[in-house]
Amino acid sequence: MDKQSNIYFVATPIGNMMDITLRALDVLSKSDIIYCEDTRNSSNLLKFHNIDKKLISYHKFNESERVKEILDNLKNGKVVSVISDAGMPIINDPGFVILKEVVENGFSFEIIPGACALINAICGSLFDAGSFCYMGFVPRTDVERKKYFEKFQKMNVTGIFYESPNRLLKTLKFLKDYFGNINVCVCRELTKLFEEYKRGKITDVISYYEEKKVKGEIVLVLDKIEEKSEEIDLNKEILELKKQGYSNKKIVIYLKEKFNISKNKAYELVLNYNEKEKEDV
Ligand code: SAM
């Protein structure tokens, strides 16, 4: 260890057992106690790296209770490490409550870098990795998804989302209906034997996963959605159609087919256009 901290938050592999830094192994070897989510899972990792240490489980349901015990250990001069089942603790994993209390109680801490699924995904997606947003797990209900993805769209950057294999197709179909034929990359089983980056238009990616059962762990990456320019183009199109005497109903059908967007989205665009026209008069 470079310097003596009291507590270390250590990144562990997200699949390949070798994806752990020399410093992480050093820290774990010198820890008196390692707090982990699942002792069985973490003992496999430690065994693989010939580390024999006391493991104690903590998870989102007992994290707050464990805090007192961890603070006592730190007061007694013990060296403590915190790991999660995979990747970086705190990133959609427990650890935050502990870290916050540790800081509030005046102990120093170190974050030991390493694997984190979202970082592999953004790099392998081939979308702009210069500015991106990470938004954790996709919510389950349509109402929540709508708000969540609208927030993402407004940021106008690449988006990274964690998703379960069971809900991937539902989410992709929702996105297609809501945003049209956007560019996506499904990053599956990163660093593992069946690692896969499936990039392309969302309609093609949906067809691909409709034929092949979706298995394993998933990070979904979306190319930025440039609402402004797309909506300006669609508004131009609506204006042209109105000039030619098309009814609202016919414009909705035309937009839906030409731009591969949902009927609801096309309807919303026409309504917005009509509202804007009224305001401009
Ligand atoms: N702390 C972890 C990290 O640093 O990435 C994330 C933990 S979160 C509970 C688990 C989710 O991360 C999975 O459901 C999946 O979305 C993503 N994930 C973790 N490992 C992955 C892998 N090897 N391939 C693809 N996604 C992965």
Side-chain angles (χ1 to χ4, degrees):
M1 285 181 264
D2 309 331
K3 57 180 180 182
Q4 182 73 48
S5 277
N6 308 75
I7 181 160
Y8 298 85
F9 293 80
V10 184
T12 58
I14 55 167
N16 188 321
M17 292 279 216
M18 304 283 274
D19 290 333
I20 185 159
T21 68
L22 295 176
R23 185 163 168 237
L25 293 176
D26 186 43
V27 165
L28 293 174
S29 308
K30 290 177 184 166
S31 297
D32 296 306
I33 307 161
I34 300 171
Y35 285 88
C36 64
E37 284 186 273
D38 177 347
T39 50
R40 254 194 320 183
N41 177 64
S42 296
S43 67
N44 288 339
L45 175 73
L46 295 191
K47 245 184 238 149
F48 185 89
H49 291 286
N50 294 318
I51 298 172
D52 184 14
K53 288 286 154 179
K54 185 173 174 189
L55 285 168
I56 299 182
S57 85
Y58 81 101
H59 39 74
K60 63 181 173 194
F61 303 109
N62 72 359
E63 193 176 8
S64 305
E65 288 159 38
R66 283 283 185 237
V67 163
K68 193 183 165 310
E69 183 184 317
I70 291 173
L71 292 176
D72 285 344
N73 281 321
L74 295 176
K75 279 175 203 149
N76 291 330
K78 300 271 191 240
V79 176
V80 171
S81 282
V82 175
I83 59 178
S84 66
D85 275 350
M88 185 57 90
I90 300 165
I91 302 292
N92 273 101
D93 267 341
F96 180 75
V97 176
I98 298 173
L99 177 58
K100 199 164 161 279
E101 289 290 328
V102 159
V103 171
E104 280 171 10
N105 281 274
F107 293 100
S108 64
F109 71 92
E110 280 175 68
I111 307 286
I112 308 298
C116 181
L118 71 102
I119 298 299
N120 278 52
I122 182 69
C123 295
S125 71
L126 301 191
F127 297 140
D128 181 8
S131 55
F132 59 85
C133 68
Y134 164 66
M135 294 181 62
F137 278 97
V138 176
R140 293 182 185 199
T141 68
D142 278 358
V143 177
E144 284 172 320
R145 283 160 192 264
K146 189 168 174 285
K147 275 198 224 144
Y148 170 88
F149 284 118
E150 270 171 2
K151 191 169 156 195
F152 154 66
Q153 181 185 28
K154 286 199 184 103
M155 286 187 260
N156 204 22
V157 293
T158 311
I160 310 174
F161 311 90
Y162 285 172
E163 184 52 295
S164 105
N166 304 332
R167 286 191 294 274
L168 178 72
L169 268 173
K170 192 169 176 231
T171 296
L172 292 176
K173 286 177 184 169
F174 173 90
L175 287 165
K176 188 203 139 253
D177 285 347
Y178 202 66
F179 293 122
N181 207 6
I182 54 173
N183 294 312
V184 303
C185 179
V186 173
C187 312
R188 211 172 54 81
E189 292 288 87
L190 296 168
T191 76
K192 302 186 198 174
L193 189 59
F194 296 107
E195 176 174 87
E196 174 181 66
Y197 292 94
K198 182 70 196 161
R199 289 179 212 92
K201 290 282 175 203
I202 200 162
T203 45
D204 298 333
V205 175
I206 290 172
S207 309
Y208 177 80
Y209 284 115
E210 268 173 343
E211 275 173 31
K212 179 182 168 173
K213 192 171 172 349
V214 191
K215 283 196 213 142
E217 296 194 278
I218 308 274
V219 183
L220 173 63
V221 187
L222 303 186
D223 196 5
K224 65 176 149 226
I225 298 172
E226 291 180 39
E227 177 191 32
K228 295 280 180 304
S229 59
E230 191 179 299
E231 290 215 347
I232 288 167
D233 288 347
L234 289 170
N235 282 341
K236 276 189 200 152
E237 202 83 27
I238 297 171
L239 174 69
E240 272 313 305
L241 294 168
K242 285 206 170 244
K243 273 190 200 159
Q244 291 171 38
Y246 278 72
S247 67
N248 285 343
K249 202 172 157 193
K250 284 207 169 136
I251 298 177
V252 167
I253 295 167
Y254 176 90
L255 293 178
K256 178 178 172 287
E257 275 163 22
K258 178 159 182 202
F259 297 99
N260 200 7
I261 55 179
S262 70
K263 195 171 169 191
N264 285 348
K265 179 77 190 168
Y267 190 65
E268 191 181 307
L269 286 166
V270 174
L271 281 186
N272 287 346
Y273 181 91
N274 291 345
E275 283 298 314
K276 204 170 167 302
E277 210 179 28
K278 266 194 238 154
E279 281 167 21
D280 292 344
V281 174

